[in-house]
Amino acid sequence: MLLAQDLAVFRGEHCVFAGLGFELRSGEVLQLHGDNGSGKTTLLRALCTLLPLEQGTISWRGSALPGARAQYFSEMIYSGHSEAIKSDLSPRENLIAGAALRGSDSIDIDAIIERVGLSDKAELSCRSLSAGQRRRVTLARLLTSHTALWVLDEPLTSLDVHGRALVEALIVEHAKQGGSVIYTTHQPLSLDGCDVRSLKIGL
Amino acid sequence: MFQWFHRLAASKNFYRLAEILGPLFGVLGAILLTLGVYRGLFVAPTDYEQGESYRIIYVHVPSAWMSMFVYMVMAFCSALFLIWKMKLADIIAEVSAPMGAAFTFLALATGSLWGKPMWGTWWEWDARLTSELILLFLYIGYMALRASIDNRGSAARAAAILALVGVVNIPIIHYSVEWWNTLHQPASITKFDTPSIHISMLVPLLMMALGFTFFYFTNMLSRARSVILEREANNNWVKDRFRENRL
Amino acid sequence: MGGAFWALLKRDMLLAFRRRADWLNPLVFFVIVVTLFPLGIGPDPGLLRDIAPGVLWVAALLATLLALDGLFRSDFDDGSLEQLLLSPQPLSVLVLAKVLAHWLVTGLPLLLLSPLLAVVMQLQVVAIPVLLVSLLVGTLTLSLVGAIGAALTVGLQRGGVLLALLVLPLFIPVLIFGSSSVIAAASGFAVDAQLYLLGALFLLALVLAPPAIAAALRISTE
Amino acid sequence: MTEFLAMGGYAAYVWPSFGLTFIVMVTIQLSTFSRRRKAIAAVRRQHAVNTQKNQQAGTGESV
């Protein structure tokens, strides 16, 4: 599904990484290893075309990216360091706006809110939620559209034990339905039932 | 691999080309400028209407022309850079901006010096001078934007977009300022136009204009070479040149 | 396609409704700047009447400029700007929704407030309809063109001053035609030339600005 | 000669214009030269760093 060949990304003059390539087929989960500053986040952002490539190509289902951008975006979702939610809006409003932005409307918001355990907080403004609860709203956004590829940057940040279990369940379920996931994390994730490959970044 | 090599080869060849053309343009420019100044000041006849003060056109018109020409070069290079990722085009735009701003300032200064005897005030809201002033703002905006973004790659692309947005706006600004000028200014005063040019007056003007252009190119090429040296200091072709002292 | 546009518009209006400061500041700024002139120049109605169109238009322009800085900044800070970039919907359309939402929240109130301030500045009543029409088309164009500057400077900490420097030269044609249309109306001349030209500027901005804004946003989020 | 210098009474405008042009062009030229000196110095510094690195790496590649 996702093929990266000979990628090289520069930050200003500094070459973050070069000659990096991998392939991700449907149903596979890929974890990026590497200590801080080795370029994990840079690679994730480059995969989402948020960063320009100095060299190399990324292709989605065989067609090179800059061309198939709309198709690629409709089938992937990125969750970065920042939660990308509006603190003045309630979780429900955030999710409704997020879903419409991704052009998917036939989804049951209440079921998703229920799934991430925010049903009692659905109407409160996100400003009053804790960091963990806000991270759950971000996780709920992953479910708002039927996407094939999840790109997750440190999905476990500020999550408690139940939160971690939720993330693991979501990833496993997504992989079983034939979706694929790329993620970075510092706390190990126990994903029983799907083959987790890992890719080392940096020296 | 191809893109990297293409970029490298391009800058090496460009460097060699600039090494030859730079001094050549310099010499041509110097000759044309000295000739132009000589003929403009000594040979060209006095203008019956404006007396000797018209000789200021020999510096005002070329610098006004250059201020526009340099912006067009910047816009063209910005398009090349954005569409075909030509890093060289961005270098040319980057080094040209300060010179364009200098020419614009020069055009404004000589324009007001020329206008003083005619209108009695140092600054006349004449359409041409006003457009020149706005062009100066565009240059300053371009340089300020490029200076304020630290990641060089995005600074270059952001500046390129601004240059293209600017070049679309220049005719609009010029037209609206002309329109605004005719609306508020009774047309009785002499239009700020070059007086009817006698051939012996025109020749020095063309010489000066060409002289300015060569002057711009020789400086631009030399600055572009300096930028290339700095950015490719680690590449072999620069090391070899350094060793053979052929920088 | 339309769904995302309206959803984004609705979301931004909801946000603006909840965060009053964002759009009240430019309005208060507009009122204060206009009232400064009579205090600064003196209450002589004749003089005020002459400078009224220019003052109203420059104040509206500065108020729009003040509001522009916040256009993308809140989305940039909480990361939702990236989601905007990664949406399958064309970015130019989404950007149009953002600019329209921003205009509804800052441009429109300026418009509704301007007759009041026109009276304060002793402007002839016959000129007020033209003032409204020119401000309507003008502020829309200013928001569109200004959004390019906002997108270019959203990633910078002290972007405000730079934003003003970048967009002011681009605002000048709109100011020229806008204020001269009101001046012409005040002295009873025909105004259709100015208004047509304002309309032309608006259509040009409507077509050319969104792609430029989209490209600028992609660069600023790098 | 003196009436030439008087420039038909406009000396106060013609000579400053030409003078200013000369100054601006000389400043542009000088800054180009200094920019070039800065670039060559940068290459020399980079060269020194490389040779030092090579010696540390034991290759002692002579320059």
Side-chain angles (χ1 to χ4, degrees):
Chain A
M1 277 210 298
L2 182 73
L3 178 63
Q5 292 155 319
D6 183 24
L7 299 184
V9 173
F10 277 58
R11 290 303 273 162
E13 274 325 288
H14 164 58
C15 168
V16 180
F17 56 77
L20 185 140
F22 64 89
E23 178 162 13
L24 195 64
R25 277 171 290 282
S26 84
E28 276 186 351
V29 176
L30 178 66
Q31 175 171 5
L32 299 185
H33 283 280
D35 37 33
N36 295 68
S38 59
K40 300 200 295 294
T41 304
T42 311
L43 174 60
L44 286 185
R45 285 171 67 87
L47 285 175
C48 309
T49 71
L50 287 173
L51 285 180
L53 291 174
E54 190 67 30
Q55 223 188 72
T57 56
I58 303 174
S59 36
W60 172 253
R61 294 196 198 287
S63 47
L65 248 196
R69 195 196 291 256
Q71 166 71 10
Y72 177 54
F73 285 163
S74 62
E75 290 182 291
M76 72 76 116
I77 195 160
Y78 168 67
S79 154
H81 281 302
S82 48
E83 295 133 350
I85 56 173
K86 287 291 175 187
S87 18
D88 292 312
L89 299 179
S90 73
R92 179 185 301 280
E93 285 153 350
N94 266 308
L95 289 176
I96 291 172
L101 202 61
R102 301 203 52 75
S104 62
D105 29 35
S106 62
I107 35 118
D108 174 358
I109 298 276
D110 296 328
I112 295 173
I113 291 181
E114 176 64 31
R115 180 72 201 284
V116 291
L118 284 172
S119 36
D120 50 359
K121 298 271 194 305
E123 303 317 321
L124 290 170
S125 101
C126 288
R127 195 179 299 282
S128 56
L129 298 185
S130 76
Q133 287 160 333
R134 291 160 74 100
R135 180 55 66 175
R136 287 166 185 260
V137 177
T138 316
L139 283 178
R141 195 165 33 133
L142 297 178
L143 306 170
T144 55
S145 58
H146 314 298
T147 50
L149 173 65
W150 285 1
V151 181
L152 311 174
D153 199 344
E154 312 279 352
L156 296 179
T157 43
S158 62
L159 275 180
D160 53 22
V161 178
H162 307 298
R164 184 212 306 269
L166 173 64
V167 170
E168 284 162 357
L170 288 177
I171 291 179
V172 166
E173 189 187 297
H174 182 67
K176 284 212 168 41
Q177 288 158 4
S180 46
V181 180
I182 306 175
Y183 67 94
T184 64
T185 181
H186 286 302
Q187 304 132 350
L189 266 177
S190 63
L191 297 171
D192 40 19
C194 47
D195 50 8
V196 181
R197 287 173 35 227
S198 75
L199 177 68
K200 192 79 179 66
I201 309 277
L203 312 93
Chain B
M1 216 34 217
F2 168 70
Q3 200 190 14
W4 178 259
F5 172 74
H6 157 70
R7 201 166 72 91
L8 193 67
S11 46
K12 190 166 68 166
N13 298 347
F14 175 85
Y15 192 91
R16 193 177 305 123
L17 188 66
E19 214 173 9
I20 302 155
L21 285 182
L24 174 66
F25 287 157
V27 169
L28 277 176
I31 295 168
L32 277 168
L33 283 176
T34 37
L35 261 182
V37 167
Y38 169 71
R39 287 180 67 89
L41 280 181
F42 298 96
V43 173
T46 328
D47 175 67
Y48 64 88
E49 198 183 295
Q50 293 182 13
E52 300 298 338
S53 73
Y54 91 96
R55 293 183 193 282
I56 299 179
I57 59 164
Y58 293 126
V59 275
H60 173 68
V61 171
S63 44
W65 191 80
M66 281 310 293
S67 64
M68 189 58 73
F69 173 72
V70 168
Y71 200 92
M72 292 307 143
V73 166
M74 279 166 56
F76 180 66
C77 290
S78 300
L80 286 184
F81 174 63
L82 281 180
I83 299 163
W84 287 287
K85 303 281 184 292
M86 275 176 65
K87 292 263 193 313
L88 275 178
D90 173 53
I91 293 177
I92 292 173
E94 184 182 5
V95 293
S96 302
M99 285 195 272
F103 284 130
T104 318
F105 164 73
L106 198 54
L108 281 171
T110 51
S112 86
L113 274 169
W114 186 23
K116 178 76 172 72
M118 258 199 296
W119 294 308
T121 61
W122 282 109
W123 174 258
E124 175 54 43
W125 281 101
D126 164 78
R128 212 180 303 273
L129 276 185
T130 318
S131 305
E132 203 68 41
L133 183 64
I134 299 170
L135 183 59
L136 185 62
F137 293 150
L138 286 176
Y139 273 113
I140 294 171
Y142 179 86
M143 291 188 284
L145 179 65
R146 191 181 271 275
S148 57
I149 301 176
D150 32 28
N151 170 349
R152 181 140 42 84
S154 10
R157 272 194 296 279
I161 287 184
L162 186 65
L164 289 179
V165 168
V167 84
V168 168
N169 269 286
I170 281 183
I172 299 173
I173 289 174
H174 188 71
Y175 172 75
S176 51
V177 168
E178 287 277 340
W179 191 88
W180 163 81
N181 192 287
T182 50
L183 187 74
H184 293 283
Q185 219 78 358
S188 65
I189 59 154
T190 55
K191 269 294 276 156
F192 188 65
D193 237 334
T194 47
S196 54
I197 285 282
H198 183 271
I199 186 66
S200 67
M201 293 180 186
L202 188 60
V203 164
L205 188 59
L206 294 181
M207 280 188 193
M208 289 297 281
L210 261 174
F212 268 60
T213 316
F214 282 128
F215 173 79
Y216 158 68
F217 273 113
T218 181
N219 276 280
M220 184 268 285
L221 288 174
S222 163
R223 287 174 186 219
R225 280 170 59 195
S226 310
V227 173
I228 290 172
L229 278 185
E230 274 169 13
R231 293 194 187 166
E232 320 241 348
N234 244 328
N235 296 17
N236 301 339
W237 69 275
V238 177
K239 285 188 197 152
D240 305 340
R241 274 176 172 268
F242 178 75
R243 265 196 290 282
E244 299 143 11
N245 211 330
R246 280 192 304 108
L247 274 187
Chain C
M1 160 87 88
F5 182 87
W6 296 115
L8 189 55
L9 191 60
K10 204 149 55 73
R11 185 198 77 162
D12 270 10
M13 296 306 288
L14 204 58
L15 270 173
F17 185 70
R18 299 234 167 108
R19 254 201 321 238
R20 281 193 179 55
D22 279 1
W23 50 277
L24 262 183
N25 293 350
L27 277 185
V28 171
F29 175 83
F30 179 51
V31 172
I32 290 175
V33 166
V34 173
T35 46
L36 284 183
F37 280 87
L39 298 172
I41 293 172
D44 162 29
L47 181 60
L48 286 184
R49 186 168 298 127
D50 294 345
I51 62 168
V55 163
L56 285 168
W57 252 92
V58 167
L61 186 139
L62 292 178
T64 312
L65 187 63
L66 183 74
L68 273 174
D69 195 53
L71 180 55
F72 295 115
R73 193 163 295 281
S74 59
D75 284 356
F76 180 83
D77 292 342
D78 57 32
S80 43
L81 192 58
E82 280 165 0
Q83 296 306 325
L84 214 66
L85 262 60
L86 295 179
S87 146
Q89 313 299 338
L91 187 52
S92 306
V93 172
L94 297 178
V95 151
L96 217 52
K98 290 285 297 176
V99 174
L100 182 58
H102 172 261
W103 181 77
L104 285 172
V105 161
T106 54
L108 199 54
L110 284 187
L111 197 64
L112 303 177
L113 209 55
S114 59
L116 196 67
L117 293 172
V119 169
V120 162
M121 289 295 289
Q122 321 284 341
L123 184 67
Q124 293 88 337
V125 179
V126 74
I128 291 187
V130 174
L131 174 71
L132 284 174
V133 170
S134 65
L135 273 180
L136 171 69
V137 180
T139 46
L140 268 170
T141 319
L142 293 182
S143 289
L144 276 165
V145 173
I148 301 176
L152 282 170
T153 59
V154 70
L156 312 173
Q157 294 78 20
R158 301 165 319 284
V161 177
L162 182 63
L163 170 61
L165 180 62
L166 297 189
V167 291
L168 278 184
L170 313 177
F171 278 4
I172 285 171
V174 180
L175 174 65
I176 287 176
F177 293 129
S179 70
S180 81
S181 68
V182 182
I183 292 170
S187 33
F189 295 133
V191 289
D192 37 23
Q194 290 94 330
L195 293 185
Y196 285 147
L197 287 167
L198 260 184
L201 286 181
F202 167 62
L203 292 179
L204 201 68
L206 190 62
V207 170
L208 294 181
I213 300 167
L217 281 179
R218 285 211 175 83
I219 291 170
S220 301
T221 49
E222 265 166 22
Chain D
M1 188 50 196
T2 56
E3 34 72 32
F4 165 72
L5 279 186
M7 256 319 145
Y10 293 107
Y13 308 112
V14 174
W15 294 118
S17 314
F18 279 78
L20 191 64
T21 311
F22 181 73
I23 291 167
V24 167
M25 290 179 92
V26 162
T27 353
I28 293 177
Q29 190 62 59
L30 288 183
S31 69
T32 304
F33 288 146
S34 79
R35 185 74 174 75
R36 184 170 163 71
R37 268 199 307 276
K38 205 157 67 82
I40 294 174
V43 172
R44 181 172 300 116
R45 261 203 314 279
Q46 184 65 41
H47 181 71
V49 162
N50 294 353
T51 42
Q52 212 221 342
K53 231 185 295 174
N54 296 352
Q55 265 124 27
Q56 257 163 14
T59 56
E61 171 227 336
S62 70
V63 163

